[in-house]
Amino acid sequence: MARGRCWLRGHPFAFDGALAAVVLVSMVAGSFADPHGGPGRAAFGERAPSPLGVVLMVLAAAALVGRRRAPLPVLGFTAAATVAQLVTGDRPVPVTTAAVIALYTVASRTDRPTAWRVGLLTMAVLTAAAMLFGPAPWYSQENFGVFAWSGMAAAAGDAVRSRRAFVDAIRERAERAERTREEEARRRVAEERLRIARDLHDVVAHHIALVNVQAGVAAHVMDRRPDQAKEALAHVRQASRSALDELRATVGLLRQSGDPEAPTEPAPGLGVLDELLNTFRRAGLPVELARTDQGLRLPAAVDLAAYRIVQEALTNVRKHAGPAARAEVSVVRAGRTIEVTVLDDGSPKAPPRAPAAARDSTPKAPPGTPAAARDGGGHGLLGMRERVAALGGSLATGPRYGGGFRVQAILPVTDTAAPGDP
């Protein structure tokens, strides 16, 4: 049955042709039946339709073949055939059946106002013709049957149309929801890719800068001070190992969920800020730390963003501020926000803090370098700005008066503070 239903949906003309044949057979059979042929029963074969009645039944049934393509003209034709049969026929034939089916088609394929206007007009015309020109008295049940059947056809067609509209609306809503889910999934994938790209940039920029500085130191003092060269190479080894570990953890996010090599360690945050600053101090950059966030539980995204901002800002200081630069890092809780500030003096007059090889091996920018140049044409400041914007915070970067550079990020704190924290 399901296969046959699908075939009929794909061949509506064949279905309408079969329906027209069934209606014609029903009308012809009904024209031979007399509902009042005997006491309490109907008689069959005691009357026969006239030639005009047979022609009207054939024409009305044939018109139903085009009921889907032209519902209103088909209704008009079948209604006219019914009125003609009532006016001229001496023997009643059920041509009204074709008009009822045509009215159902109009009601199911047009809007509700049109369906009800056409339905009421058809009901009035057919009922009036049956009462005025029919062989039975005007108050007979056959005349009221015409009224009832035409009214039920209009109501059934309107119900079918409403059901189809409801199903179509549900299907469209489901398709729209599916498209929305796909778009949301693509957006989340793009955001995750951007976040991973920022993490990779921060890790590579930080550790490669340290490796570059320490390798330059080792190359400069290799012949004269082998002990200092060994120390610099040890720092290179430690920085490269840290870079590999962080790269492995970051790239591990791209693995399958069941991969046993997926990272299990938490992302870095302000809890390991001292270890990060020690790596810069060992590379020859004096860094001072001031913080008032002890005991504050930060959301994971805010904690990671603050850590990466400090890391990228100090990397830029080491690369561009000059060999004698000093840096200051402060992490301060201010109301519902946390302020992370990284300052450097960038003054070439300060006493040198790194060997000459370190100064020669890394390109330097003059004090007061603009933000774009301080970033070295890369994505460091852009990445910091994107991190802060993703969390709803603000980032301020620019030269300091008298030399140096300032990076200040204000991040919202949505989590609760530790007990006893004001």
Side-chain angles (χ1 to χ4, degrees):
M1 293 182 63
R3 184 179 302 176
R5 190 183 301 110
C6 294
W7 186 87
L8 290 176
R9 289 178 180 176
H11 302 80
F13 185 78
F15 176 80
D16 291 339
L19 177 64
V22 172
V23 170
L24 177 60
V25 172
S26 301
M27 289 190 297
V28 171
S31 64
F32 284 94
D34 185 5
H36 307 288
R41 63 181 181 85
F44 185 80
E46 296 184 1
R47 65 177 186 178
S50 64
L52 179 60
V54 173
V55 172
L56 291 176
M57 287 188 294
V58 172
L59 293 177
L64 294 178
V65 178
R67 67 187 184 96
R68 297 175 189 264
R69 300 180 180 178
L72 287 175
V74 170
L75 175 61
F77 181 82
T78 53
T82 303
V83 173
Q85 181 269 324
L86 292 173
V87 172
T88 61
D90 55 347
R91 297 182 180 89
V93 292
V95 185
T96 312
T97 305
V100 168
I101 294 177
L103 178 58
Y104 164 82
T105 304
V106 171
S108 64
R109 292 186 170 272
T110 57
D111 57 283
R112 176 167 292 176
T114 301
W116 283 109
R117 284 195 296 265
V118 174
L120 290 176
L121 179 61
T122 304
M123 291 166 56
V125 171
L126 296 183
T127 305
M131 290 181 175
L132 295 176
F133 304 106
W138 68 270
Y139 53 84
S140 63
Q141 61 181 1
E142 288 84 357
N143 297 335
F144 287 100
V146 172
F147 177 83
W149 278 106
S150 56
M152 286 190 294
D158 181 72
V160 170
R161 181 199 55 78
S162 300
R163 173 67 179 176
R164 290 173 181 170
F166 178 73
V167 172
D168 292 341
I170 292 178
R171 185 181 296 109
E172 181 183 0
R173 189 179 301 113
E175 293 175 355
R176 189 185 307 114
E178 184 67 23
R179 290 194 301 269
T180 303
R181 283 194 295 268
E182 293 177 357
E183 294 174 358
E184 179 68 14
R186 287 194 295 268
R187 185 185 65 82
R188 290 182 179 274
V189 168
E191 291 180 352
E192 185 65 15
R193 291 176 60 187
L194 181 60
R195 187 189 67 80
I196 294 174
R198 287 197 297 259
D199 288 343
L200 286 174
H201 171 270
D202 294 342
V203 170
V204 171
H206 166 61
H207 291 289
I208 295 303
L210 297 181
V211 169
N212 182 31
V213 171
Q214 297 297 338
V217 172
H220 182 72
V221 300
M222 179 66 71
D223 297 331
R224 294 178 296 176
R225 302 184 61 182
D227 53 342
Q228 189 173 357
K230 291 181 180 181
E231 182 180 356
L233 291 177
H235 292 323
V236 169
R237 182 180 181 183
Q238 182 179 0
S240 59
R241 185 185 300 113
S242 300
L244 289 175
D245 292 340
E246 293 199 30
L247 284 174
R248 187 180 299 109
T250 304
V251 176
L253 297 175
L254 303 176
R255 298 181 183 271
Q256 299 291 336
S257 58
D259 197 320
E261 297 183 4
T264 57
E265 296 182 357
L270 294 179
V272 293
L273 183 60
D274 292 332
E275 299 178 7
L276 174 66
L277 300 186
N278 289 333
T279 61
F280 284 98
R281 294 187 182 108
R282 287 194 295 268
L285 175 64
V287 183
E288 297 180 3
L289 174 63
R291 58 188 308 179
T292 61
D293 63 322
Q294 284 80 3
L296 177 64
R297 295 192 300 269
L298 295 177
V302 176
D303 199 19
L304 175 61
Y307 177 88
R308 293 302 188 193
I309 289 170
V310 174
Q311 183 185 51
E312 180 61 29
L314 291 179
T315 301
N316 286 339
V317 172
R318 192 69 192 89
K319 291 168 60 178
H320 304 293
R326 297 172 178 268
E328 299 177 4
V329 178
S330 63
V331 182
V332 180
R333 169 73 182 274
R336 296 181 177 271
T337 63
I338 184 170
E339 297 183 3
V340 179
T341 306
V342 179
L343 305 175
D344 68 86
D345 52 17
S347 174
K349 297 180 180 180
R353 296 292 177 178
R359 297 195 297 268
D360 297 335
S361 59
T362 305
K364 304 302 185 295
T369 305
R374 170 61 70 96
D375 198 24
H379 302 278
L381 294 180
L382 179 61
M384 286 190 283
R385 201 172 301 278
E386 290 175 350
R387 285 183 183 276
V388 174
L391 297 174
S394 61
L395 178 71
T397 60
R400 299 174 60 193
Y401 180 77
F405 202 79
R406 178 178 67 94
V407 175
Q408 183 181 35
I410 301 178
L411 304 175
V413 179
T414 58
D415 205 349
T416 57
D421 191 32

